[in-house]
């Protein structure tokens, strides 16, 4: 299957680098991320959450992102993050999105496989890729909250890939969505084993991992790294800072917030390509 999301991930994996996959929130953050990708010279994935997509509308969000990616010097894949709603994911597939992530990880394994497989069938028939999740990644992403992590095993992950036919796999490796309160204990051994397989491995919960952890995960085969909280935090933090200037005009305000978001996302992309830069 010829698909942009799959090509970006396979090329990143072949280079021993990872593509940043960022939960954009609106026009400003989407533009910030795509501009950052061009400056860094890195392909990128923009992945609004289901809540953000519902707020905009499936076709409207696609039209906005598709318009913004036109004429860029790097590839930009448009991906739906963490979806438990098959109807919404199908609507994205029909509207031309490059890929969707189905998150049925809270269900028993057999059901996770069955529901993900059904979406793969629907999506592949339309040249659209699917990411799946094995084990449970803890934390809150949008309206999906998992209190307790359930680690994935190598055997379950391989079984899931084989039975569903997913194009990318997000196993629970010890990362979590949101802000880490301590240093996460990552299952590098699992990443290494899955990393040797063909299907690109996705790391969720990227915010707050150290540069060393990113480099190690990528060296072991991680091809896609998700970042959400870091963007939300800089977006809100810089907004508050700018609003302290009571005289700031709306367009200048937007530009300043966008610039701060873009610079931080660029540093993430460069780190995922092997550079060592501060991420806070
Ligand atoms: P963070 O919010 O920890 O960056 O996680 C993002 C993510 O994995 C989105 O799916």
């Amino acid at each position: 299957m010829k698909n942009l999301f799959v090509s970006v991930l396979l090329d990143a994996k072949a280079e021993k680098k990872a593509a940043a996959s960022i939960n954009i929130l609106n026009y400003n953050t989407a533009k910030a991320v795509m501009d950052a990708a061009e400056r860094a010279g890195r392909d990128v994935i923009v992945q609004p959450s289901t809540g953000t997509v519902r707020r905009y509308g499936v076709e409207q969000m696609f039209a906005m992102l598709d318009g913004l990616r036109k004429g860029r010097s790097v590839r930009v894949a448009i991906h739906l993050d963490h979806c438990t709603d098959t109807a919404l994911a199908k609507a994205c597939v029909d509207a031309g999105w490059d890929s969707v992530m189905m998150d049925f990880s809270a269900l028993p394994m057999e059901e996770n496989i069955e529901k993900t497989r059904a979406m793969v069938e629907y999506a592949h028939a339309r040249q659209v890729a699917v990411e799946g999740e094995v084990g449970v990644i803890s934390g809150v992403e949008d309206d999906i909250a998992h209190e307790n992590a359930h680690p994935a095993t190598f055997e379950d992950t391989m079984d899931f890939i084989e039975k569903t036919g997913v194009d990318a796999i997000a196993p629970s490796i010890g990362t979590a969505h949101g802000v880490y309160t301590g240093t996460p204990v990552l299952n590098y051994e699992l990443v290494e084993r899955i990393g040797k397989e063909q299907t690109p491995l996705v790391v969720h919960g990227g915010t707050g991992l150290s540069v060393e952890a990113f480099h190690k995960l990528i060296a072991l085969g991680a091809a896609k790294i998700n970042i959400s909280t870091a963007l939300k935090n800089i977006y809100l933090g810089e907004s508050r800072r700018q609003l302290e200037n009571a005289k700031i005009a709306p367009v200048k305000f937007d530009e300043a917030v966008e610039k701060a978001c873009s610079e931080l996302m660029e540093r993430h992309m460069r780190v995922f390509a092997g550079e060592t830069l501060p991420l806070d």
Side-chain angles (χ1 to χ4, degrees), residues 9-32:
L9 294 194
L10 289 179
D11 290 352
K13 189 173 158 88
E15 291 183 292
K16 286 254 175 240
K17 294 177 179 176
S21 194
I22 300 179
N23 292 72
I24 57 92
L25 306 160
N26 51 21
Y27 178 91
N28 293 355
T29 49
K31 182 169 181 300

Side-chain angles (χ1 to χ4, degrees), residues 23 47 81-82 141 176-178 203-207 226-230:
N23 292 72
Q47 52 171 28
D81 195 26
H82 286 283
E141 179 51 45
H177 298 117
V203 174
H204 281 247
T207 299
N226 289 5
I227 298 291
S228 175
T229 304

Side-chain angles (χ1 to χ4, degrees), residues 102-118 132-136 150-166 169-172 194:
M102 301 316 295
D103 179 1
F104 298 119
S105 61
L107 299 175
M109 185 67 163
E110 283 317 306
E111 269 182 78
N112 184 2
I113 289 174
E114 187 41 43
K115 285 180 180 285
T116 306
R117 192 199 57 73
E133 177 170 328
V134 183
V136 177
H150 173 68
T153 65
F154 179 73
E155 290 69 26
D156 279 354
T157 307
M158 287 302 116
D159 188 47
F160 181 89
I161 292 172
E162 194 189 320
K163 289 184 175 152
T164 59
V166 287
I169 187 70
S172 172
I194 301 170

